[in-house]
Amino acid sequence: MMRLESRGRPPAWVNVAVPVGSILLAMVVAGIVLAITGNSPFTTYHNIVRASITQPGALEETLISMTPLLFTGLAAAVAFRMRVWNIGGEGQLYMGAVGAAGVGLFLHSLPAPVVVLAMVLGGLIAGSLWAAIPGALRAYLNTNEILTSLMLNYVALQFMYYLIYDSHSYWRDLTSARAKVFPSGKFLEASGNWPGITLRTLVIPVGLCLGVGLAMLLWGMIRSTKYGFEMRVLGDSPRTAQYAGIKTRRKILSVMMLSGGIAGLAGASQVGDFNHVLDPRGLQGGNFGYTGIVVAALARYNPLAVILTSFFIGAITNAGFALQGPGFPSGLTGTMEGILLFCVLGAELLVRYRVRWVRRVRTAAPTPSEPVTATPAPVAAGLAASASEEAP
């Protein structure tokens, strides 16, 4: 008989062996799916590595795909680690893009470093304030933050579309002839374009460097500061946190705003690093906020592991564009990502519990005893009388 027993605090080798084994299992299962669909698993995996890393220009494209996933993955990991379920990373990214684009357009005459720094702050503040709405509702009214943050994604999306397509807002281009026929946003001046860091032939986005540095800061904050300690206590046992005097409401609100601010940085990076314009359709098509939840889950909410998982998902996404064709539909890439997520999350059970096989011991069946018959009352009285007469 199989029995699951809690490990308590799992040993270090389990935290390494289980994720690696789950990834290998995912590759095997995905290989079976590829074979069923008529694609060679080995050829497909070779093409994925080639299209995402080794081919000229492929690594740079992978870094571009990785950058927004790094921010949204960190946003989800910070919130989920404290069991605050922020599903609104998508909308917070939209608002961060709106804030960063507005600041970049308004301050275009200032020096480039000042404009870039202002855009970072604009995206951070806009995303943080948008996340404060579901955070305050959860902290002070005990409202389910999953529903409120998710619904606010659609509000932010429609607000972004309104700014570009349904109004004469500051973000919309109203001067060019093309914009009068096809509504579009104003492009940033050169001072608002974030410069990349060049290493030989490789150009690394500034937003990616910012995200890697932020992941290291978050890891250190969670492990070594009072704020991070209170986050861990609240995530493990809310009752213990209340008994210890931790201000739960303030902590929930602050963590939600921190998560939203990080997601807002993803929107600022999309505007400053890549698009250089507020593009509602491009941001919506990326689904960066929702994919960031997958990245955070694969990383087990570890900020440093988010760097690796965002690169991995970015590589698969980038390779998926190159592999698409009549025999390799776009949905097959999403299927491979789903198999990976299912295997990694399913293997999480083995991190928390160990499997014990218990042998059942069969005991011999008891033998039936002789039936006892009751003696009738008259016979019993006669026996008692004869016994009294024979007594001396």
Side-chain angles (χ1 to χ4, degrees):
M1 181 178 64
M2 187 179 69
R3 180 181 297 173
L4 295 178
E5 295 181 357
S6 176
R7 292 182 183 272
R9 186 174 183 179
W13 69 268
V14 172
N15 292 324
V16 176
V18 171
V20 172
S22 62
I23 292 175
L24 295 177
L25 176 62
M27 293 181 64
V28 173
V29 176
I32 296 174
V33 174
L34 289 171
I36 293 175
T37 57
N39 296 279
S40 171
F42 299 102
T43 303
T44 302
Y45 291 149
H46 173 74
N47 291 336
I48 288 176
V49 174
R50 183 174 178 272
S52 60
I53 299 176
T54 59
Q55 189 176 357
L59 181 58
E60 185 173 335
E61 292 297 325
T62 296
L63 295 181
I64 292 174
S65 300
M66 167 192 176
T67 300
L69 301 181
L70 175 58
F71 283 111
T72 55
L74 290 173
V78 168
F80 290 4
R81 195 179 184 95
M82 208 183 81
R83 296 190 181 182
V84 177
W85 310 112
N86 179 21
I87 313 297
E90 188 83 5
Q92 292 146 21
L93 181 148
Y94 297 155
M95 299 306 294
V98 171
V103 171
L105 292 171
F106 185 75
L107 302 178
H108 66 90
S109 60
L110 296 179
V114 177
V115 177
V116 172
L117 179 59
M119 291 176 65
V120 170
L121 293 176
L124 178 69
I125 294 172
S128 180
L129 292 177
W130 195 250
I133 300 174
L137 292 174
R138 158 69 191 278
Y140 296 99
L141 298 178
N142 200 26
T143 305
N144 190 326
E145 74 276 13
I146 296 177
L147 296 177
T148 54
S149 61
L150 179 62
M151 293 300 102
L152 284 174
N153 289 342
Y154 301 98
V155 177
L157 177 63
Q158 296 304 319
F159 176 71
M160 188 171 56
Y161 269 90
Y162 171 78
L163 293 178
I164 302 301
Y165 298 108
D166 298 320
S167 69
H168 293 175
S169 68
Y170 184 74
W171 287 261
R172 180 176 176 177
D173 184 5
L174 300 173
T175 58
S176 64
R178 182 179 181 278
K180 293 180 179 179
V181 180
F182 303 101
S184 62
K186 294 179 184 176
F187 279 86
L188 298 174
E189 300 291 338
S191 60
N193 298 339
W194 296 10
I197 299 175
T198 304
L199 297 177
R200 294 185 179 180
T201 59
L202 180 65
V203 179
I204 303 176
V206 171
L208 178 59
C209 299
L210 179 62
V212 172
L214 181 61
M216 295 180 179
L217 288 176
L218 291 173
W219 181 79
M221 181 266 292
I222 293 173
R223 288 179 58 90
S224 306
T225 65
K226 178 184 176 182
Y227 187 89
F229 174 75
E230 292 178 349
M231 281 180 57
R232 285 182 282 139
V233 172
L234 271 170
D236 293 336
S237 176
R239 291 186 177 180
T240 302
Q242 292 178 356
Y243 181 79
I246 297 176
K247 297 179 179 179
T248 306
R249 292 180 176 179
R250 293 184 182 180
K251 190 64 62 177
I252 291 174
L253 179 58
S254 64
V255 168
M256 197 73 171
M257 294 182 68
L258 175 62
S259 175
I262 297 172
L265 288 177
S269 174
Q270 285 299 108
V271 173
D273 272 320
F274 311 119
N275 298 335
H276 310 304
V277 65
L278 182 62
D279 180 17
R281 291 178 179 172
L283 293 175
Q284 181 187 12
N287 288 323
F288 301 122
Y290 300 115
T291 310
I293 298 175
V294 177
V295 170
L298 292 175
R300 297 179 59 205
Y301 313 141
N302 186 325
L304 293 183
V306 169
I307 301 175
L308 298 177
T309 55
S310 62
F311 177 82
F312 189 66
I313 296 299
I316 294 178
T317 302
N318 183 37
F321 295 137
L323 295 176
Q324 285 182 21
F328 199 96
S330 59
L332 197 54
T333 303
T335 302
M336 294 174 65
E337 293 179 2
I339 292 172
L340 176 64
L341 178 64
F342 180 81
C343 291
V344 171
L345 294 184
E348 183 71 15
L349 181 69
L350 299 178
V351 176
R352 299 183 180 182
Y353 300 92
R354 63 168 60 92
V355 179
R356 292 286 190 187
W357 293 94
V358 181
R359 179 179 296 177
R360 287 184 176 181
V361 179
R362 294 185 178 181
T363 58
T367 57
S369 57
E370 291 290 336
V372 179
T373 57
T375 305
V379 176
L383 292 175
S386 61
S388 60
E389 292 176 357
E390 294 177 358

